[in-house]
Amino acid sequence: MGRPTKENSLTPEDVIQAAINCLDKEGESALGVNRVARELGIKPPAIYKHLNGNAELRLAVVLTIWRQFLDYCQNKTQGIKEQRQLFKAGGMANRDFAKLYPARYKVMMQYQLHPADKDANAVIQEAMGWFQEGIQGYDLTENQLIDAMRMVNAAVYGFISVEQAGMMTFERSTDESYQVMLDALIIGIEYIRSGKN
């Protein structure tokens, strides 16, 4: 990233991108005002003109990563019409993003977004819209949709987290296991739709 020549030319986007660069290079521990200021070659107070401390910096980074994640997933699923293929492509895109950007994915998934926050709510609505698009052919009620989202999120995030931690040590391919899980989730969604729950 090109550094601004003067602190006054710094933008919030510069700060957020520098924070993401630190995150990619060093992991979650690098996500702080002091470390980001060093990355930019400035003093920490200059960052406070744009983002008010570590909490606001983290939120801005998380929202940016969510937008990147959704853009990535939407590009990977664009043009797919068949319901099962669309769902599976979304599941694969989720895991692929996590493999490409493990620290970003971890930070994104471990931060609780609050609907009361306008910017966070916009991201939440976009994420829900993308998920609904992925299962639109199932015609779920609102409660069924919530159940399906919780099930899919828990399974996908759980699989990725265990995989990233290096805890999948059996010789069987994790790619094959992940495909089996996605197939099982489709069956789970169909069960939820049946109203037997």
Side-chain angles (χ1 to χ4, degrees), residues 39-186:
E39 178 77 5
L40 289 166
I42 60 174
K43 297 195 181 301
I47 290 178
Y48 283 85
K49 295 175 184 174
H50 304 285
L51 297 163
N52 189 18
N54 287 332
E56 196 167 303
L57 173 66
R58 180 173 287 262
L59 174 59
V61 166
V62 166
L63 292 175
T64 299
I65 295 170
W66 264 106
R67 291 182 191 107
Q68 293 170 347
F69 169 77
L70 290 166
D71 285 347
Y72 180 88
C73 291
Q74 287 163 353
N75 286 335
K76 292 288 185 177
T77 57
Q78 190 172 20
I80 301 174
K81 301 295 180 198
E82 199 279 319
Q83 190 61 55
R84 287 176 172 243
Q85 287 181 0
L86 181 59
F87 178 82
K88 290 180 81 169
M92 292 306 299
N94 198 310
R95 184 169 175 240
D96 290 345
F97 184 90
K99 284 183 171 185
L100 284 170
Y101 308 109
R104 293 186 202 186
Y105 187 82
K106 184 177 179 184
V107 166
M108 173 185 91
M109 294 304 289
Q110 291 181 347
Y111 190 97
Q112 184 179 8
L113 296 177
H114 296 284
D117 179 284
K118 183 182 71 161
D119 293 331
N121 189 52
V123 168
I124 291 168
Q125 294 305 315
E126 186 177 350
M128 286 179 65
W130 179 68
F131 184 84
Q132 284 177 298
E133 184 180 316
I135 61 168
Q136 64 187 346
Y138 291 102
D139 295 322
L140 304 177
T141 67
E142 185 176 344
N143 284 340
Q144 288 173 335
L145 176 64
I146 291 169
D147 291 341
M149 286 179 67
R150 287 175 175 168
M151 176 184 70
V152 171
N153 287 339
V156 170
Y157 173 64
F159 189 102
I160 291 169
S161 296
V162 172
E163 184 177 33
Q164 285 183 338
M167 296 171 64
M168 293 190 176
T169 56
F170 291 120
E171 289 187 18
R172 176 159 167 80
S173 160
T174 54
D175 292 342
E176 290 175 1
S177 294
Y178 191 74
Q179 288 286 353
V180 169
M181 185 190 76
L182 292 178
D183 287 333
L185 286 171
I186 290 170

